[in-house]
């Protein structure tokens, strides 16, 4: 009779993204949010909380990490540093 | 990928200090060792709440009461972070709880000692949390990601625990004779068990070598124990108390304090369940778990009802069988 | 502890919160699940924190009168005996099971919410400031505990039974919240729109609403109500609470801790 597991995301202050901070058990979403408040923001660590039941998270497969992420490696032309500018151009 | 290639990629990550994450391939023994260590650590936090909670209702001032409550609450939080870290290794909290209550899983033996006076709150904070911090700081760099992240959070929060303990002892030592005697008595009782917290001597610690190799552990038991003794030997002078070890003295050549031999008989006895409070601690956890059963059940049943969208007026409670 | 007009009133608020918090702290380490252990401990910390603010204000005012500094939050909490305590009887009742404790929190927090909600406008600016801080806390306590009342009332047949029993046990101690003492009257008279009778109506309406949602049997309007706490006449429980809480201060008088 275990309570479902929830993942907790916290916005530490206005202007920042919600960031995964950990998980907890709760019977429903409201309980999960309230528990997240008590468990993960006791020291003013947050201004906003998201929770999602862990079973709803889909993840990329670590064994495919190579074929998944490596192809981006040689596309260095996507980065501004790839381009040499003449010295006369100060800011671009 | 075949197992050999997976093993190789795992080893490489460990070598390069790249963290292992939950869905990554890992050797079965690595997983097993982690589950054992993390859950043992979590159980220690939870059982560790009991000896201190024992004094919450008797704390001598409102300020001390609030500090103690917040501290014990932190321990619940730390237990929770650790259970969640362990859960990423495919074991449920329920299974871990079961292991704790049936005695299959261990927890730190220190919590099988009783808290007999208010000064014990000081001694636990200073010594037990002090020892824990020394154990835990290297774990922030442990090779398993969720464990390391949990430890970072825990270490951040724990920094006040040792200080509040020392502060309690300091107040007692600056107080009346009776208070100072209370502090000394607590130190006498908690010193040796605190040294035992670092576990058996390296030579007698079967798991150490493999755990070091996997970078689950970063220092050996004896190394950490020495660090702890060195730290306490200096701090005790500020308190003006005596560490109950006639052999404790500074060794210039080693650059460390020498100290007497731990009573390993006592250590193994407490590990085996013969400590002063082993039965009480497990009984208290069992009671909390059993008394909570109907609550957890009801919360789930209610959540289910809300989800299935049955209007409340029709959700005849008599039909909901537990 | 008489003389100052507000002392009794401040002690009434402080004592009620302290005893509530003291009782709730008994749960720490023994909750039905880790998350809820942490949650109820937070509420305990909040209520003890409220008590400290009220004690500190009472001490300050007493000391200002006498020109001494001998009264502190701790002398008020630790060196008064049961008959000097002004807390509501409700707060000193045993925790019982999780359901009974939750319901007790709900009944009390809802009352606090309404009282503090008025006190933030009080002409007594010190009290208003404390109420302002405490109000946010008790609003949360109300919401948190009302969720639990619903969950348990409308959960399983066992939880429903337990909640019915808890309600039956606690309800006769709720009336005292609205029986005005002299020191309350003195306090409330300073602010025109403060009426305990109105608060009672609002409280009852909100509580009945939640109980109804929790599928619990609404208590009879003419239920017999216990009283006495506000005037220092308590249940037998308070003596034991104080014996435990005050032990160190009594056994080692005059020490710093």
């Amino acid at each position: 009779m275990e309570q479902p597991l929830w993942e907790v995301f916290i916005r530490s202050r206005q202007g920042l993204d919600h960031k995964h901070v950990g998980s907890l058990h709760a019977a429903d979403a409201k309980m999960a949010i309230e528990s997240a408040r008590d468990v993960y923001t006791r020291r003013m660590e947050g201004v906003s909380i998201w929770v999602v039941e862990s079973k709803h998270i889909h993840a990329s497969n670590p064994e495919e990490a190579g074929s998944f992420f490596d192809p981006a490696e040689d596309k260095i032309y996507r980065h501004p540093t790839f381009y040499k500018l003449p010295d006369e151009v100060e800011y671009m | 990928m075949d197992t050999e290639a997976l093993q190789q990629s795992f080893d490489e990550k460990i070598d390069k200090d790249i963290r292992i994450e939950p869905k990554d391939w890992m050797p079965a023994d690595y997983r097993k060792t982690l589950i054992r260590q993390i859950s043992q650590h979590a159980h220690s936090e939870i059982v560790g709440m009991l000896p201190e909670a024992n004094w919450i209702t008797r704390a001598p001032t409102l300020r001390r009461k609030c500090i103690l409550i917040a501290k014990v609450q932190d321990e619940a939080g730390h237990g929770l972070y650790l259970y969640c870290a362990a859960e990423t290794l495919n074991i449920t909290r329920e299974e871990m709880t079961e292991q704790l209550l049936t005695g299959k899983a261990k927890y730190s033996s220190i919590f099988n000692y009783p808290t007999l006076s208010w000064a014990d709150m000081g001694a636990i904070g200073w010594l037990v949390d002090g020892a824990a911090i020394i154990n835990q700081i290297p774990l922030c760099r442990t090779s398993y990601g969720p464990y390391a992240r949990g430890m970072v959070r825990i270490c951040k929060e724990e920094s006040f625990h040792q200080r509040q303990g020392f502060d309690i002892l300091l107040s007692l030592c600056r107080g009346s004779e009776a208070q100072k005697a209370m502090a000394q008595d607590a130190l006498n009782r908690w010193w040796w068990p605190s040294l035992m917290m670092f576990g058996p001597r390296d030579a007698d610690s079967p798991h150490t070598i493999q755990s070091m190799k996997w970078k689950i552990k970063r220092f050996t038991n004896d190394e950490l124990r020495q660090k702890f003794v060195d730290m306490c030997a200096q701090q005790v002078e500020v308190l003006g108390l005596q560490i109950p070890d006639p052999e404790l003295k500074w060794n210039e050549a080693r650059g460390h304090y020498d100290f007497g031999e731990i009573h390993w008989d006592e250590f193994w006895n407490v590990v085996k369940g013969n400590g002063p409070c082993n039965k009480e601690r497990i009984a208290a956890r069992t009671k909390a778990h059993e008394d909570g059963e109907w609550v957890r059940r009801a919360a789930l049943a209610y959540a289910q009802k809300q989800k299935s969208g049955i209007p409340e007026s029709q959700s005849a409670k008599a039909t909901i069988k537990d | 502890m008489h003389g100052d007009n507000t002392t009794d009133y401040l002690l009434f608020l402080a004592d009620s919160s302290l005893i509530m918090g003291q009782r709730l702290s008994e749960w720490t380490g023994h909750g039905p699940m880790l998350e809820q252990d942490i949650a109820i401990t937070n509420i305990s910390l909040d209520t003890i924190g409220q008590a400290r603010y009220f004690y500190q204000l009472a001490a300050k005012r007493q000391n200002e009168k006498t020109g001494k500094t001998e009264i502190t939050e701790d002398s008020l909490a630790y060196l008064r005996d049961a008959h000097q305590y002004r807390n509501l009887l409700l707060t000193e009742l045993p925790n019982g099971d999780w359901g009974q404790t939750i319901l007790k929190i709900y009944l009390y927090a809802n009352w606090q919410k309404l009282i503090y909600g008025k006190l933030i406008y009080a002409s007594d600016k010190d009290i208003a400031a404390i109420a302002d801080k405490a109000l946010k806390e008790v609003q949360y306590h109300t919401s948190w505990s009302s969720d639990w009342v619903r969950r348990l009332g409308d959960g399983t047949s066992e939880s429903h039974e337990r909640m019915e029993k808890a309600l039956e046990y606690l309800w006769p101690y709720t009336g005292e919240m609205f029986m005005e003492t002299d020191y309350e009257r003195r306090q409330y008279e300073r602010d025109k729109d403060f009426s305990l009778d109105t608060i009672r109506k609002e409280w009852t309406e909100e509580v009945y609403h939640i109980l109804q949602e929790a599928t619990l049997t609404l208590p009879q309007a003419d239920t017999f109500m216990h009283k006495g706490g506000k005037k220092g006449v308590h249940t037998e429980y308070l003596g034991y609470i104080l014996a435990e809480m005050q032990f160190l201060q009594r056994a080692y008088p005059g020490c710093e801790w």
Side-chain angles (χ1 to χ4, degrees):
Chain A
M1 217 1 110
E2 185 144 78
Q3 316 275 313
L5 191 64
W6 300 74
E7 300 301 321
V8 179
F9 301 81
I10 303 227
R11 186 200 297 288
S12 55
R13 59 191 162 82
Q14 292 297 111
L16 296 182
D17 291 324
H18 285 77
K19 186 169 165 272
H20 183 246
V21 293
S23 45
L24 50 78
H25 289 273
D28 55 56
K30 182 127 191 261
M31 195 197 275
I33 290 177
E34 289 176 348
S35 294
R37 171 232 193 223
D38 291 333
V39 172
Y40 290 106
T41 68
R42 294 199 301 286
R43 289 176 170 80
M44 299 179 292
E45 293 99 331
V47 295
S48 163
I49 296 173
W50 288 352
V51 295
V52 59
E53 235 186 294
S54 309
K55 68 176 183 196
H56 294 314
I57 292 194
H58 300 270
S60 62
N61 183 350
E63 287 181 34
E64 289 165 7
S67 60
F68 225 70
F69 301 111
D70 289 356
E73 218 171 277
D74 62 353
K75 316 290 194 293
I76 44 174
Y77 42 77
R78 287 192 175 119
H79 300 275
T81 46
F82 177 74
Y83 304 92
K84 289 217 165 46
L85 289 181
D87 291 346
E88 299 91 288
V89 183
E90 276 188 56
Y91 305 105
M92 183 181 284
Chain B
M1 267 196 266
D2 57 23
T3 313
E4 210 170 308
L6 289 167
Q7 176 75 49
Q8 198 182 345
S9 133
F10 172 84
D11 291 342
E12 266 176 36
K13 279 189 204 152
I14 296 284
D15 278 349
K16 290 185 192 157
D17 266 333
I18 296 173
R19 298 272 181 274
I20 307 301
E21 295 295 343
K23 287 181 184 299
D24 293 352
W25 183 90
M26 59 188 86
D29 278 348
Y30 176 83
R31 184 185 298 274
K32 208 174 118 193
T33 303
L34 274 174
I35 289 180
R36 182 176 50 79
Q37 182 173 329
I38 301 174
S39 66
Q40 191 170 318
H41 192 164
H43 296 328
S44 301
E45 297 280 357
I46 300 312
V47 176
M49 296 171 74
L50 298 170
E52 287 179 285
N54 185 31
W55 278 88
I56 286 176
T57 53
R58 289 177 288 174
T61 67
L62 295 180
R63 181 174 151 267
R64 291 285 184 207
K65 190 189 287 291
C66 289
I67 295 172
L68 185 60
I69 293 175
K71 186 194 173 230
V72 179
Q73 185 194 39
D74 272 353
E75 280 153 13
H78 299 169
L80 192 148
Y81 306 154
L82 289 162
Y83 280 129
C84 289
E87 280 179 281
T88 62
L89 293 158
N90 295 334
I91 183 168
T92 64
R93 193 192 293 177
E94 204 159 58
E95 287 171 302
M96 289 185 272
T97 306
E98 180 75 17
Q99 290 176 353
L100 170 68
L101 301 184
T102 55
K104 207 180 145 219
K106 301 272 178 248
Y107 54 89
S108 182
S109 283
I110 192 85
F111 303 117
N112 289 319
Y113 289 87
T115 49
L116 304 178
S117 79
W118 171 250
D120 289 17
M121 297 306 101
I124 290 185
W126 180 45
L127 297 175
V128 177
D129 289 299
I133 289 170
I134 287 181
N135 259 325
Q136 289 170 356
I137 285 178
L139 289 176
C140 295
R141 295 186 298 124
T142 193
S143 59
Y144 187 56
Y147 191 21
R149 290 192 286 278
M151 289 315 302
V152 169
R153 183 175 279 275
I154 289 173
C155 286
K156 227 188 260 174
E157 296 187 356
E158 285 232 327
S159 50
F160 99 83
H161 292 187
Q162 192 187 15
R163 286 187 189 197
Q164 66 87 34
F166 192 76
D167 190 60
I168 287 174
L169 290 177
L170 202 58
S171 296
L172 294 174
C173 291
R174 288 174 177 166
S176 69
E177 279 308 306
Q179 283 177 301
K180 196 165 177 189
M182 196 189 277
Q184 182 65 55
D185 167 65
L187 176 56
N188 292 348
R189 283 181 291 107
W190 289 94
W191 174 252
W192 291 105
S194 301
L195 293 194
M196 295 176 199
M197 278 179 74
F198 296 93
R201 272 179 304 218
D202 292 349
D204 303 323
S205 174
H207 301 298
T208 295
I209 295 174
Q210 184 59 65
S211 286
M212 297 278 288
K213 224 182 266 168
W214 278 330
K215 296 187 182 170
I216 293 176
K217 263 177 113 153
R218 312 286 312 217
F219 295 98
T220 71
N221 295 351
D222 287 334
E223 284 170 345
L224 294 171
R225 184 161 24 233
Q226 180 69 58
K227 210 172 163 188
F228 176 69
V229 172
D230 290 347
M231 179 189 82
C232 294
Q234 291 181 349
Q235 292 170 354
V236 78
E237 287 176 23
V238 181
L239 296 173
L241 296 176
Q242 288 290 318
I243 287 181
D245 179 0
E247 290 173 54
L248 183 86
K249 64 167 187 293
W250 176 249
N251 181 328
E252 190 67 46
R254 289 204 310 124
H256 290 292
Y257 281 86
D258 291 337
F259 55 100
E261 191 59 42
I262 290 170
H263 297 288
W264 293 107
D265 271 1
E266 178 181 328
F267 173 77
W268 291 112
N269 254 314
V270 182
V271 171
K272 283 179 195 138
N274 298 322
C277 300
N278 292 55
K279 292 196 177 65
E280 286 80 355
R281 300 296 183 240
I282 291 301
R285 288 312 310 160
T286 305
K287 184 172 188 310
H289 189 67
E290 286 173 357
D291 288 354
E293 178 69 24
W294 71 272
V295 178
R296 297 190 296 272
R297 217 179 259 276
L300 276 182
Y302 180 78
Q304 215 80 56
K305 265 189 237 182
Q306 296 304 107
K307 237 188 248 170
S308 60
I310 307 165
E312 265 160 59
S313 53
Q314 292 170 28
S315 69
K317 47 213 170 273
T319 65
I320 308 291
K321 285 278 176 275
D322 15 314
Chain C
M1 302 294 164
H2 295 277
D4 173 27
N5 264 341
T6 59
T7 299
D8 280 330
Y9 184 68
L10 288 170
L11 288 178
F12 156 59
L13 295 178
D15 291 345
S16 294
S17 283
L18 176 62
I19 299 302
M20 189 74 186
Q22 172 82 359
R23 274 297 195 203
L24 295 183
S25 77
E26 293 171 16
W27 272 105
T28 306
H30 307 277
M33 51 192 283
L34 211 37
E35 285 81 353
Q36 302 309 322
D37 200 307
I38 295 172
I40 202 161
T41 301
N42 251 3
I43 296 182
S44 165
L45 270 179
D46 283 345
T47 47
I48 296 173
Q50 291 157 17
R52 292 185 65 187
Y53 284 119
F54 287 125
Y55 282 136
Q56 285 163 7
L57 180 57
K60 183 172 152 249
R61 289 185 174 176
Q62 285 289 297
N63 288 332
E64 275 168 4
K65 257 201 176 128
T66 58
K68 294 180 188 159
T69 57
E70 59 194 0
I71 296 173
T72 64
E73 56 170 358
D74 289 324
S75 74
L76 292 172
Y78 287 88
L79 301 177
R80 284 178 308 135
D81 204 350
H83 69 274
Q84 294 164 305
Y85 260 73
R86 297 274 175 270
N87 63 286
L88 293 166
L89 296 178
L90 178 74
T91 61
E92 67 199 49
L93 298 177
N95 285 334
D97 64 15
W98 179 257
Q100 186 175 310
T101 306
I102 288 298
L103 186 60
K104 182 162 93 164
I105 295 176
Y106 175 66
L107 298 171
Y108 179 65
N110 209 14
W111 171 81
Q112 279 181 303
K113 187 184 75 176
L114 295 168
I115 294 284
Y116 294 164
K118 289 286 182 192
L119 285 180
I120 57 173
Y121 305 112
S123 49
D124 187 327
K125 290 301 161 212
D126 295 327
I127 293 184
I130 300 174
D132 191 47
K133 189 188 171 300
L135 180 59
K136 289 185 198 125
E137 296 171 347
V138 300
Q139 277 168 341
Y140 181 75
H141 302 172
T142 311
S143 150
W144 180 85
S145 57
S146 66
D147 286 342
W148 268 109
V149 170
R150 279 193 215 96
R151 275 185 202 114
L152 297 179
D154 192 19
T156 62
S157 49
E158 179 185 2
S159 70
H160 181 82
E161 278 308 302
R162 284 175 183 262
M163 290 307 279
E164 290 281 19
K165 266 191 201 138
L167 183 58
E168 205 179 311
Y169 175 61
L170 293 174
W171 192 256
Y173 294 93
T174 56
E176 191 188 14
M177 299 194 282
F178 311 105
M179 298 176 191
E180 199 165 64
T181 57
D182 293 343
Y183 57 79
E184 284 170 287
R185 191 170 307 121
R186 278 202 301 276
Q187 188 63 35
Y188 299 147
E189 270 168 3
R190 299 175 191 192
D191 300 294
K192 278 199 187 67
D193 61 341
F194 201 122
S195 146
L196 206 51
D197 204 42
T198 314
I199 288 182
R200 181 179 59 79
K201 282 183 191 118
E202 286 176 47
W203 183 89
T204 311
E205 201 174 308
E206 288 189 28
V207 169
Y208 271 38
H209 176 68
I210 296 292
L211 294 180
Q212 211 149 22
E213 286 194 349
T215 71
L216 294 170
T217 312
L218 297 184
Q220 298 289 330
D222 59 352
T223 309
F224 173 80
M225 292 292 173
H226 297 285
K227 59 173 190 269
K230 284 177 169 181
K231 290 180 175 168
V233 183
H234 291 274
T235 67
E236 289 179 347
Y237 298 114
L238 186 66
Y240 289 99
I241 294 175
L242 297 185
E244 189 174 342
M245 186 174 83
Q246 299 178 339
F247 150 65
L248 281 166
Q249 290 275 359
R250 301 289 192 184
Y252 303 90
C255 287
E256 294 285 324
W257 297 92

